[in-house]
Amino acid sequence: MTSAADAFRRSRRPTWAGRNYTLLTAAAVFTNLGGQGALIAAAFAVLEAGGNGGDVGLVAAARTLPLVLFLLIGGAVADRLPRHRVMVAANALNCVSQAVFAVLVLAGEARLWQMMLLSALGGTGQAFFGPAAEGMLMSSVNGEQASRAFAVFRMAMQGAGLGGAALGGAMVAVVGPGWVLAVDAVAFAVAGALRSFLDVSHIPPREPGGGLLSDLREGWREFVGRPWLWTIVAQFSVVVAVVGAADAVYGPLVARDSLGGPGPWGLALGAFGAGTVGGALLMTRWKPRRLLLAGTLCVFPLAAPAAALAVPVPVGPLCAVMFVSGAAIEVFGVSWMTSLHQEIPEDKLSRVSAYDWFGSIAMVPLATALAGPAEQAFGRTTALWGCSALVVVVTAAVLCVPDVRNLTRRSKPVAQWSPVAEVELRSADAEGTAGRLG
């Protein structure tokens, strides 16, 4: 009876959606549903406790700082220990910190330093969770169906985040931020329980290493040894920073002064979220042969929202621009994950992911801090055009890298990389290209 039920369940899902993949996707839906609402709840919890906008920024910074500080260590730990245990431990830390946060808010006893400390614990958990989760996801799918699997995963995650933000905002208004934080704690508990059932028997045992610093150096060599990898991460250190500054600082100001207040800006952000779901849906069908070329070309539309705010355009066109940019960044996201999956050896995935994450977010605090002084020095319109121009310039620069233009999709990921293997692979690709041209 049990085997028949198992066979029925397997027949209802695609062959590439194995047990680990299904558990990871379900857990990500829970954490994104709770997490997006919790971000809104944390801000309103600070305001209800008598804080101001600066205090909200301090709590947000308290979460970001340990995320930046511990990301690389988290990547090394995730490649050294069983990844599912790292993920469950991080979920447990997030669950406890959010539960305590919720109790303090519900009791009316939350102090700024307490909220900052609990947010810092949450950021620390995310620093260890993120690289482990990305490595685990990539090891859960096969080469031929990896792109579709990543697209479906991202579609589920983005859809849950979009719904979680809408539901969380409504719940904050109806029942208050404390209960939303409590729901997020429960979501982390459920997600951690799901992830505890992950099967890691297919992952080869880690070879004994020379310590944490040795692991970090090995990951760094893997990272800098691939021009397509480090150049795109360098590109995104700028792109994420200026887009973040435009969205977090200038967007609300433009909405207040020209669009009618926070409602239209929330609608525009919702259109971006809907675009990410649409882009992920597109990538379940489209498999571009030149992964990074297609993905990088889709980074150019990220310059459009800042330009639209600089004009500024009415709400309708702004929503359309945000939707297109959201869809475009998902095309990049799926292409990027597929490239990492097929090019990076499994035992180094988490360390490489950590360097990727670190490079992408490291400049965000600096950019948001400089957004105000830049507005005062050059004016808001000029600052927004500058954000848009930087996205275009750094993206065009990355297209000058041959590896970015030429990296192609393969049916199977590489087992191991070495400079010799890289040369042989490029030679084989060149011979194949010559044969097609002939």
Side-chain angles (χ1 to χ4, degrees):
M1 186 71 177
T2 304
S3 60
D6 290 342
F8 176 72
R9 282 193 295 268
R10 285 194 297 269
S11 68
R12 296 182 62 187
R13 67 190 183 199
T15 55
W16 45 264
R19 180 172 178 270
N20 278 0
Y21 176 85
T22 304
L23 287 170
L24 288 166
T25 304
V29 168
F30 276 106
T31 50
N32 275 270
L33 276 171
Q36 292 301 313
L39 291 176
I40 300 171
F44 279 92
V46 175
L47 296 175
E48 287 188 3
N52 54 28
D55 295 330
V56 173
L58 286 174
V59 172
R63 180 177 179 84
T64 304
L65 182 60
L67 178 59
V68 174
L69 290 176
F70 293 115
L71 256 177
L72 299 183
I73 297 174
V77 169
D79 275 340
R80 177 175 286 264
L81 301 177
R83 291 188 182 118
H84 69 308
R85 293 182 182 175
V86 177
M87 295 166 70
V88 172
N91 284 166
L93 177 60
N94 287 128
C95 174
V96 171
S97 64
Q98 289 295 73
V100 175
F101 201 161
V103 169
L104 290 173
V105 173
L106 290 171
E109 299 294 332
R111 302 290 183 264
L112 179 61
W113 70 267
Q114 295 169 328
M115 292 186 281
M116 290 178 63
L117 175 61
L118 292 168
S119 294
L121 289 175
T124 302
Q126 185 61 33
F128 284 86
F129 172 83
E134 192 156 323
M136 194 72 205
L137 176 65
M138 291 183 185
S139 69
S140 70
V141 297
N142 62 51
E144 291 186 9
Q145 298 295 338
S147 180
R148 178 172 295 179
F150 296 146
V152 172
F153 177 86
R154 291 177 68 94
M155 183 169 60
M157 187 176 64
Q158 300 288 11
L162 185 61
L167 182 61
M171 288 182 64
V172 168
V174 175
V175 299
W179 288 109
V180 178
L181 292 166
V183 168
D184 189 38
V186 173
F188 274 117
V190 173
L194 289 172
R195 288 164 177 144
S196 69
F197 290 105
L198 291 168
D199 179 12
V200 295
S201 60
H202 66 289
I203 300 176
R206 310 296 179 203
E207 294 293 333
L212 191 63
L213 289 178
S214 176
D215 287 350
L216 288 172
R217 285 194 295 268
E218 187 178 8
W220 175 251
R221 287 193 295 269
E222 192 76 27
F223 177 76
V224 299
R226 303 170 186 273
W228 61 268
L229 179 57
W230 66 262
T231 53
I232 287 183
V233 171
Q235 170 204 10
F236 266 77
S237 70
V238 176
V239 170
V240 173
V242 298
V243 170
D247 287 353
V249 180
Y250 300 136
L253 295 175
V254 172
R256 180 196 64 189
D257 296 341
S258 304
L259 300 179
W265 181 237
L267 189 63
L269 293 177
F272 180 87
T276 62
V277 176
L281 180 61
L282 169 65
M283 292 304 287
T284 64
R285 297 292 182 182
W286 183 37
K287 293 184 177 181
R289 180 175 172 272
R290 297 198 177 193
L291 286 163
L292 293 181
L293 177 61
T296 302
L297 289 173
C298 285
V299 178
F300 282 109
L302 287 184
L309 290 171
V311 173
V313 301
V315 177
L318 177 61
C319 287
V321 166
M322 295 290 278
F323 181 89
V324 171
S325 62
I329 196 57
E330 279 304 296
V331 174
F332 171 83
V334 174
S335 300
W336 180 246
M337 291 185 72
T338 305
S339 300
L340 292 176
H341 175 262
Q342 77 171 28
E343 298 295 326
I344 306 300
E346 192 279 332
D347 64 319
K348 299 180 180 67
L349 277 172
S350 291
R351 277 169 287 176
V352 170
S353 295
Y355 281 109
D356 175 18
W357 278 43
F358 180 83
S360 298
I361 68 172
M363 290 181 61
V364 171
L366 177 63
T368 52
L370 292 178
E375 181 184 19
Q376 294 175 357
F378 308 109
R380 186 187 305 161
T381 298
T382 301
L384 280 165
W385 281 117
C387 291
S388 182
L390 280 171
V391 173
V392 172
V393 169
V394 297
T395 303
V398 164
L399 287 176
C400 297
V401 179
D403 287 354
V404 172
R405 299 193 306 270
N406 299 329
L407 191 144
T408 56
R409 182 187 301 273
R410 293 197 294 274
S411 61
K412 294 182 180 180
V414 296
Q416 188 67 39
W417 175 84
S418 69
V420 174
E422 182 83 356
V423 171
E424 291 175 351
L425 178 60
R426 291 182 185 175
S427 299
D429 287 345
E431 290 173 5
T433 302
R436 285 189 295 275
L437 292 175

